[in-house]
Amino acid sequence: MKIEGQFLFEKAHSGAVWNFLTDPDRIASCLPGCEKLIPTGGGSYEMTMSIGIGSIRGKFSGTIRLHDVHPTTDYAMTVSGSGAPGFVNGEGTIRLNGSETGTEVTYSGDVSAGGAIASVGQRMIGGAARMVIEQFFKCVAEKLK
């Protein structure tokens, strides 16, 4: 399933947005359901999240790895997690584009899910993912003010 979108951080310098989006403590403070995000070295992180989609709820443990990092402009991310509700794997990119009005972040990626969580359907998974992403970026924007 493809997930893509953009978010404009009004009046936020791209360096400040970059620093936030690459700081595990700050990311964890805004990521809904994030219980821990611990650096393990080499751009990799161990993560635990509690999340629900429809009637399927549970805790996921997994890893996030940042790669192909070009400071202040873009990076690629690989995510893998599993738990009682099933598994989620994904790959994507984050791009920052600064302008006079602020910084626009564009994201795109592919996500696959299996197990009970996949039974809710791609439409519901996609909607839940977009909602979590939107909540995350709104929190980041608030904290950058």
Side-chain angles (χ1 to χ4, degrees):
M1 166 181 42
K2 187 86 169 158
I3 295 176
E4 56 190 4
Q6 62 223 17
F7 190 91
L8 176 62
F9 292 94
E10 294 180 25
K11 300 178 185 171
H13 185 269
S14 61
V17 176
W18 176 267
N19 289 339
F20 198 109
L21 296 180
T22 55
D23 180 326
D25 292 331
R26 296 178 85 187
I27 292 169
S29 73
C30 279
L31 190 58
C34 184
E35 295 179 5
K36 76 175 180 181
L37 185 60
I38 300 170
T40 57
S44 293
Y45 304 87
E46 181 183 313
M47 184 170 84
T48 302
M49 280 184 80
S50 290
I51 198 157
I53 300 174
S55 62
I56 309 294
R57 302 196 175 285
K59 188 178 285 194
F60 288 85
S61 296
T63 60
I64 296 176
R65 185 174 66 87
L66 303 184
H67 51 94
D68 299 327
V69 177
H70 302 102
T72 72
T73 61
D74 63 280
Y75 59 84
M77 180 174 16
T78 303
V79 178
S80 109
S82 62
F87 70 86
V88 176
N89 294 315
E91 292 215 13
T93 58
I94 304 284
R95 290 188 186 353
L96 283 71
N97 186 19
S99 70
E100 291 179 14
T101 60
T103 300
E104 182 177 73
V105 172
T106 304
Y107 59 90
S108 65
D110 289 303
V111 178
S112 62
I117 199 162
S119 69
V120 300
Q122 284 190 7
R123 180 185 273 171
M124 190 169 274
I125 293 170
R130 281 185 279 286
M131 184 179 74
V132 167
I133 291 166
E134 187 73 15
Q135 287 175 353
F136 172 75
F137 283 137
K138 284 181 178 177
C139 175
V140 172
E142 234 359 86
K143 292 189 178 202
L144 285 174
K145 285 186 179 178

